[in-house]
Amino acid sequence: ERVYYYDPTSVDAALMKRARRSNRDNTSLEIYPTQLSDEGEYKCRIVVWDNTGNSTEPSVPISKEARMMLKVNVPPEKVEITHLTSGRNLSLRCKSEGAKPPADILWTKTSPDGVETEIPDLAKTREIEPAGELYDTAEQIFYQLEENEMIAKISCVVRHHNTNTTIYKNITFVSPAIQNALKVTIQRFAEPVLYSSIENQDGRDNKAGLVKISADPGFKVPYNTSVTLKAAAPGVFPEPRYLWWVGDQTGIAGRELHI
């Protein structure tokens, strides 16, 4: 199949819509955007007419050609992570779809102070399945949370070295001990006073009632959806400063926290 034909005296024709001669010189072929169907052997043939300097003799065509194999690499199209939990035991599965060649998968954990490290000595299984001319890679791991871990952010890192592509999929596990133990600190009359957001969720009239917290759509939400927490301190003057956090991780300042 002819892709491009060029004669400096008469013809400059691309026979494939995505092909053109490069601006750098007259002989380089540029294909953009590349598709998987572009993979294959390419041949460049150059033809010159030579009459050995004698204008009375007919010209003789002389041709030379070179061949090369073009490989088309495809980055992952989709990455998803699923999990099952049983107490502190976790089973996580990460799947990369539509890559060529198959992508690599590794697992990392981020500490509360933001340090990311690879999880060592994992019990894991890996599967590579062809999907037409592309490949799906799936890896399942089994991990046990440490007893003192209040929050564990685990990441599936999909790396496709051939296309210099890295994709992160994160999942955060929160210990039941702090899922309902968010606290709010306000400054009242220059003295720090600690109020629990748990104590005022049931509407009881106590000192914690100075801080009112509401949730939209509610305090119980489905997994992988959004929630907005709103705080208020009616009757407090001057207006206090609001700071949201979980455990030792400082969060966002403001009256509203959107997750």
Side-chain angles (χ1 to χ4, degrees):
E1 180 184 357
R2 184 175 292 181
V3 176
Y4 205 98
Y5 183 78
Y6 173 63
D7 184 333
T9 61
S10 58
V11 181
D12 190 358
L15 305 179
M16 186 174 74
K17 291 183 178 180
R18 293 172 291 108
R20 67 178 184 182
R21 280 190 304 118
S22 172
N23 295 329
R24 293 175 302 207
D25 52 60
N26 286 337
T27 58
S28 295
L29 178 69
E30 184 175 298
I31 301 174
Y32 179 84
T34 52
Q35 299 178 1
L36 193 57
S37 59
D38 296 330
E39 184 168 283
E41 185 183 64
Y42 283 74
K43 178 172 63 177
C44 174
R45 177 182 295 155
I46 297 178
V47 180
V48 296
W49 294 85
D50 182 21
N51 61 3
T52 65
N54 190 341
S55 59
T56 61
E57 297 181 3
S59 297
V60 178
I62 300 175
S63 67
K64 294 194 179 226
E65 62 183 41
R67 298 171 181 261
M68 56 86 67
M69 179 63 69
L70 177 68
K71 295 286 187 181
V72 178
N73 298 316
V74 183
E77 180 183 16
K78 179 182 178 183
V79 176
E80 60 181 7
I81 185 171
T82 56
H83 75 281
L84 294 173
T85 62
S86 177
R88 292 186 294 111
N89 299 311
L90 310 177
S91 173
L92 299 98
R93 186 174 188 268
C94 184
K95 184 177 183 181
S96 163
E97 299 182 1
K100 179 178 177 292
D104 293 328
I105 295 177
L106 62 88
W107 298 85
T108 64
K109 185 172 68 172
T110 304
S111 64
D113 55 358
V115 178
E116 182 184 20
T117 56
E118 185 174 353
I119 304 176
D121 304 325
L122 277 176
K124 57 186 177 181
T125 58
R126 174 176 291 192
E127 300 174 354
I128 298 178
E129 299 180 355
E133 297 182 82
L134 306 177
Y135 296 90
D136 297 342
T137 303
E139 188 167 278
Q140 185 169 2
I141 66 168
F142 302 94
Y143 180 74
Q144 187 176 61
L145 295 173
E146 300 177 7
E147 292 186 3
N148 61 346
E149 281 188 290
M150 294 292 100
I151 297 179
K153 178 183 175 182
I154 298 178
S155 302
C156 165
V157 185
V158 175
R159 290 179 176 173
H160 196 251
H161 301 284
N162 297 73
T163 58
N164 197 26
T165 301
T166 301
I167 301 175
Y168 278 78
K169 278 292 183 179
N170 308 318
I171 188 167
T172 301
F173 297 93
V174 180
S175 167
I178 66 169
Q179 283 182 358
N180 296 313
L182 294 174
K183 295 183 178 181
V184 176
T185 301
I186 69 171
Q187 192 83 9
R188 184 170 183 264
F189 304 124
E191 296 180 1
V193 185
L194 190 63
Y195 302 92
S196 169
S197 63
I198 301 175
E199 295 177 15
N200 65 18
Q201 286 182 15
D202 57 9
R204 287 185 296 171
D205 185 14
N206 50 33
K207 70 173 186 177
L210 286 171
V211 181
K212 302 292 186 183
I213 294 180
S214 61
D216 183 17
F219 286 105
K220 293 184 178 181
V221 295
Y223 170 77
N224 205 26
T225 60
S226 62
V227 62
T228 299
L229 303 178
K230 301 178 181 180
V236 176
F237 181 83
E239 178 72 10
R241 176 174 176 262
Y242 300 87
L243 180 64
W244 301 86
W245 79 93
V246 177
D248 296 329
Q249 297 190 77
T250 301
I252 301 175
R255 297 186 63 171
E256 295 187 3
L257 176 67
H258 182 72
I259 304 173

